[in-house]
């Protein structure tokens, strides 16, 4: 949300405790995070949020966090009271695999129709490094939004990143990002498409001269939804760039 000229106050508190070596978990705790923001000059409230959480860390680098959030959010003259539950679980059983699942269930805001609804978001993240050369990262996010028991939209997001390292200096990587949104036209104002789908790709080769200097060459291209479910290519871009970290 665009917020220009606002005052914000945030704070947090946490209590940790540790387990003996004979049990399956290592440490845990609970805490609270607060955030408050309003327009400068005693303007309207923009956002007020209190988030309570508890967590536990266990073997195999397993981390589980549970959040309970209450929020007041101001948008286009209306204030929405929102409640959400979020569960995040991360596990790394080996040095070459890492996985995370994040689930958010509760209230949400449809910013097009300016109305409150029910949302469920599931985000899955996988990172695989099977050896010294290959690195694969995949993120998938699925969001469902309901109004009065009817599905308003379903949105799918995929982000795939693959990198191959020939040696400590030379590497190539590829990125693909797809977004697919399917809308219920009977619940939207006129002008909203039934389906919105796009894809962005990038190919890149890089050479790292030293820890401070890297050169890149690559190309990127976007695709937009065409007739039916087809994706039509848009303008392709080629680039050369250099990155240098200056340390005084």
């Amino acid at each position: 949300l665009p917020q220009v000229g606002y005052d914000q106050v945030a704070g947090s508190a946490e209590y940790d405790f540790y387990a003996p070596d004979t049990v399956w978990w290592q440490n845990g705790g609970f805490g609270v995070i607060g955030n408050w923001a309003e327009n400068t000059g005693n303007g309207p409230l923009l956002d007020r949020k209190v988030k309570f959480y508890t967590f536990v860390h266990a073997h195999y680098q397993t981390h589980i966090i549970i959040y309970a959030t209450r929020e007041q959010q101001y948008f286009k003259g209306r204030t929405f009271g929102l409640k959400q539950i979020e569960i995040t679980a991360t596990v790394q059983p080996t040095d070459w695999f890492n996985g995370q699942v994040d689930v958010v269930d509760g209230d949400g805001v449809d910013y097009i129709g300016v109305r409150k609804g029910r949302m469920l978001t599931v985000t899955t993240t996988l990172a695989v490094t099977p050896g010294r050369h290959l690195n694969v990262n995949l993120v998938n996010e699925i969001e469902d939004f309901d109004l009065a028991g009817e599905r308003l939209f379903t949105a799918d997001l995929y982000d795939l990143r693959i990198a191959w390292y020939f040696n400590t200096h030379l590497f190539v990587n590829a990125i693909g990002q797809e977004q697919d949104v399917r809308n219920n036209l009977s619940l939207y104002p006129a002008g909203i498409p039934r389906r919105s789908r796009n894809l962005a790709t990038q190919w890149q080769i890089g050479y790292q001269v030293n820890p401070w200097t890297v050169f890149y060459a690559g190309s990127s291209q976007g695709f937009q939804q065409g007739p039916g479910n087809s994706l039509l290519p848009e303008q392709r871009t080629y680039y050369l760039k250099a990155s240098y970290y200056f340390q005084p």
Side-chain angles (χ1 to χ4, degrees):
L1 300 179
Q3 299 181 357
V4 178
Y6 66 94
D7 299 319
Q8 183 173 10
V9 177
S12 64
E14 182 178 294
Y15 179 81
D16 298 336
F17 47 87
Y18 298 87
D21 296 334
T22 56
V23 298
W24 59 271
W25 61 280
Q26 298 169 341
N27 71 296
F30 55 87
V32 59
I33 302 172
N35 183 81
W36 171 86
E38 72 170 19
N39 271 329
T40 302
N42 296 320
L45 173 72
L46 297 176
D47 186 78
R48 181 167 56 194
K49 180 187 299 184
V50 178
K51 179 179 291 188
F52 300 92
Y53 65 91
T54 183
F55 65 91
V56 62
H57 298 166
H59 298 307
Y60 302 107
Q61 297 193 45
T62 302
H63 311 282
I64 301 175
I65 309 175
I66 301 176
Y67 300 94
T69 303
R70 295 178 62 94
E71 179 180 8
Q72 284 187 313
Q73 188 178 112
Y74 179 85
F75 182 71
K76 287 190 175 180
R78 295 189 59 187
T79 299
F80 298 94
L82 309 176
K83 299 178 182 179
Q84 293 180 347
I85 295 293
E86 179 179 0
I87 301 176
T88 300
T90 305
V91 62
Q92 185 174 349
T94 69
D95 59 354
W96 57 269
F97 174 80
N98 180 283
Q100 177 176 297
V101 176
D102 182 81
V103 179
V104 180
D105 182 33
D107 300 322
V109 178
D110 167 30
Y111 296 108
I112 296 178
V114 193
R115 47 197 170 173
K116 179 179 175 180
R118 184 82 179 183
M119 59 169 285
L120 173 64
T121 303
V122 180
T123 304
T124 305
T125 304
L126 301 176
V128 181
T129 310
R132 297 181 302 168
H133 300 286
L134 182 62
N135 191 329
V136 180
N137 290 273
L138 174 64
V139 178
N140 170 229
E141 180 178 309
I142 301 175
E143 179 176 343
D144 293 331
F145 196 101
D146 296 337
L147 283 174
E150 291 190 67
R151 180 62 43 83
L152 178 66
F153 69 82
T154 295
D156 297 335
L157 173 66
Y158 299 92
D159 187 311
L160 176 62
R161 299 168 185 256
I162 302 175
W164 180 269
Y165 296 88
F166 295 96
N167 49 51
T168 57
H169 298 284
L170 182 64
F171 62 91
V172 294
N173 57 43
I175 300 174
Q177 297 174 322
E178 181 182 11
Q179 185 180 53
D180 187 359
V181 181
R182 298 173 297 281
N183 300 309
N184 184 350
L185 297 186
S186 65
L187 299 177
Y188 271 114
I192 300 299
R194 180 178 300 276
R195 187 176 187 182
S196 176
R197 186 175 176 221
N198 60 74
L199 172 67
T201 61
Q202 177 178 296
W203 305 85
Q204 181 175 259
I205 183 171
Y207 187 82
Q208 182 173 342
V209 180
N210 53 51
W212 305 278
T213 308
V214 186
F215 295 97
Y216 302 94
S219 68
S220 60
Q221 185 172 19
F223 299 81
Q224 291 289 342
Q225 180 177 329
N229 294 326
S230 63
L231 287 172
L232 301 180
E234 295 185 319
Q235 182 178 2
R236 179 185 291 271
T237 301
Y238 298 91
Y239 61 87
L240 295 171
K241 64 179 182 179
S243 174
Y244 178 75
Y245 175 70
F246 176 76
Q247 185 175 11

